[in-house]
Every structure is written in structure tokens, then in C-alpha cells.
Amino acid sequence: MLLMTWEVTEGVLRPKANPRVALALAQEECQNGGWVQLSEPGPLGQWVISGNSLRAKGNPGFVLCARRDFQGIHLWSFDGLPDQYGQWNLEDVPDARSRARTSSDFARPRALSSGHGLLRPVISELHSAVMFSDEEETPKVLDIRSEQFVKAMHSLVLVLERLGWRVSSCLETDNEKLTRLYGKAGKPSYRAWLLSETPVHEATGYQEYADDSATMANLWIARNLSFFAELFFLLADGLETSDGVNLAYARSLQEHHSFLQRQA
């Protein structure tokens, strides 16, 4: 279902599978059979909803149509009402990802610890690592306990290895760096630990984080955790593992990787 649904907001069509891109004209000049593509939102990605049709805002005479063999979509011109290939039904489809990320999930994370499965020790250790404020409805994260967080990341790597996923290597290098540096100069407060490294980054002219630092390890661990969070939500939504990995990567790590890293 996720691969078939779109969000329509202010004339922009975004696939729910990757909302960073939008459906747009392949070229500014419209013609019958003209192609459309996914690209960064821009002037060629503006549409006008007219009845059950989607018209190019730059040239409303052209309508987004399904090809007659249903092997794709393209543009076609209509003076009046388009035929059945140029008419669409707009429906509200529940989004499993938005359902999963309700405020109560973050407000009362301990409720998750009653579940079972391979991730249970990771979730338990993350809960013990995070220090929340006292607000009942929407508590804020005040700090993280360094030792428990390092242990949680180690547990996550072990879980991924147990699953036989090669993606565990995404975390291993930075987790090993974080563990080593914690043993060397770590502090109980994660915030205080990272702030204490400020002089270390002077070597880069404060243009970026020093490579051999807990701050750099933290940056890439955060990016990888974003990837795994996306992946687990997609798997819970019913996607196959390979599709889930590709979509989760497009939503998270892809923008941080070089061309060669993306190919790998």
C-alpha cells in the first residue's frame, strides 16, 4: 500500500514512500505523451486538481493520464473533460508510519517494554538511558546516560548480526569508536561528554567534527538509527525486507553518502 499512495498538498504530489521528491513534468513544454518524473519540488511539479483530474499548472490543457497499457503515466491534452484514463479517485488512506509515531509512543515509552522479540533488550536499555522531564503528556528529553546508551548500541549491533543483516556494519565502526572513547574520556552525562570535546574540533577549524571523536561517532550513529527506525516501520507496514531497506535508505542515509557509498 505504501508504494501506491501519494500525498497531495497545495498542488504538489509526493509519494508517501519518499516524500522528499515530487511528481513533476520532465520538461517545461507540454506535449501529448510527455513524460513525468520524480524530482525535487519546483515549478514543474505544480498541479491543479480539477474535478477528478490533475492538470499541469503551467499548462492546464494537459492532464496527467494513465497509459492505455497501464504500464506508466504521461500527459495528454483535453479541451474538456478527460476520458477515463485521465480521471483519478482521491481517497484518504491511513498511514501506518504516522499511526506508529503518536505522541503517546514518546510520552510513555515504558509501555513498549512489555513487548517481546529480539529488540526488547535494546528498547529496555534505551529507556534506561534516556532522562525525561516530569511532564506527563509530552515529556522532553533532558539528557542521556552515556554508559547505558553505549550498551544499547552494542545490543542493537548484536541483534542485527543475529538476524544475519549485513547492514549491522553500518553501526559497528562508530559504535566501536564510541565505546573506545567512552572508556578513555567519557562522562556520565552524554551531553556533557560531547560538549567536553569542543577543543578537539579546533584541528578542523570548527568546520566539521574531528573524525576520531565521540561527536563524529554520535553523528553517524544518529543517522544510522534514523535509517533503522524507518526500516522497522516499513517492515511493520508489510513491505518485503529488500524494498524496506531501499526505501529506508532513500529517506535517511542516502543524502549523507557520496556517490560511491550509495552504489555500495
Side-chain angles (χ1 to χ4, degrees):
M1 180 66 71
L2 187 65
L3 299 175
M4 301 166 59
T5 54
W6 298 71
E7 292 178 346
V8 183
T9 307
E10 298 180 351
V12 179
L13 279 68
R14 302 175 185 270
K16 285 193 174 182
N18 186 1
R20 290 194 180 94
V21 297
L23 189 68
L25 306 180
Q27 57 186 25
E28 188 171 356
E29 182 180 352
C30 295
Q31 59 183 355
N32 285 337
W35 287 14
V36 292
Q37 63 185 8
L38 291 176
S39 62
E40 294 293 327
L44 298 183
Q46 296 287 324
W47 302 86
V48 176
I49 300 176
S50 176
N52 290 334
S53 63
L54 293 166
R55 297 183 178 273
K57 186 173 183 179
N59 192 337
F62 283 84
V63 176
L64 183 67
C65 298
R67 284 173 35 181
R68 292 181 179 272
D69 58 6
F70 295 107
Q71 296 300 307
I73 53 179
H74 61 188
L75 295 173
W76 207 267
S77 61
F78 290 92
D79 294 330
L81 185 70
D83 62 18
Q84 59 182 336
Y85 296 98
Q87 298 188 43
W88 305 86
N89 292 326
L90 301 180
E91 303 174 354
D92 291 327
V93 179
D95 188 343
R97 294 177 66 245
S98 62
R99 291 199 309 271
R101 295 176 177 176
T102 61
S103 59
S104 60
D105 290 335
F106 293 97
R108 303 184 184 278
R110 290 182 179 82
L112 293 174
S113 61
S114 60
H116 297 276
L118 291 174
L119 286 174
R120 184 174 182 178
V122 180
I123 294 172
S124 177
E125 287 168 355
L126 284 174
H127 288 170
S128 65
V130 178
M131 301 169 63
F132 289 99
S133 61
D134 295 329
E135 290 91 342
E136 291 187 3
E137 293 186 0
T138 55
K140 300 177 181 178
V141 176
L142 300 177
D143 202 350
I144 295 175
R145 298 178 179 88
S146 300
E147 182 177 0
Q148 285 87 340
F149 181 70
V150 171
K151 289 181 178 178
M153 294 303 96
H154 179 68
S155 296
L156 179 56
V157 170
L158 293 178
V159 167
L160 297 174
E161 289 178 348
R162 183 175 177 184
L163 290 172
W165 287 3
R166 292 175 56 194
V167 289
S168 63
S169 61
C170 296
L171 273 174
E172 282 179 325
T173 300
D174 293 296
N175 184 55
E176 290 172 357
K177 181 188 295 184
L178 195 70
T179 302
R180 172 173 56 81
L181 294 172
Y182 176 71
K184 182 179 179 181
K187 296 180 180 297
S189 163
Y190 200 62
R191 183 190 302 271
W193 178 18
L194 297 186
L195 288 175
S196 71
E197 285 194 331
T198 302
V200 174
H201 309 300
E202 183 179 2
T204 70
Y206 299 107
Q207 297 299 310
E208 58 184 4
Y209 299 135
D211 184 66
D212 193 32
S213 67
T215 315
M216 180 63 84
N218 173 74
L219 175 65
W220 281 101
I221 286 174
R223 289 171 174 175
N224 279 290
L225 287 179
S226 176
F227 164 74
F228 286 114
E230 292 283 359
L231 175 58
F232 292 142
F233 276 116
L234 290 169
L235 295 179
D237 200 36
L239 265 70
E240 296 293 332
T241 301
S242 59
D243 292 335
V245 168
N246 289 331
L247 286 177
Y249 181 76
R251 289 174 172 176
S252 55
L253 285 172
Q254 179 172 299
E255 64 178 317
H256 304 298
H257 281 170
S258 66
F259 175 78
L260 292 179
Q261 287 175 313
R262 291 175 184 177
Q263 302 312 304

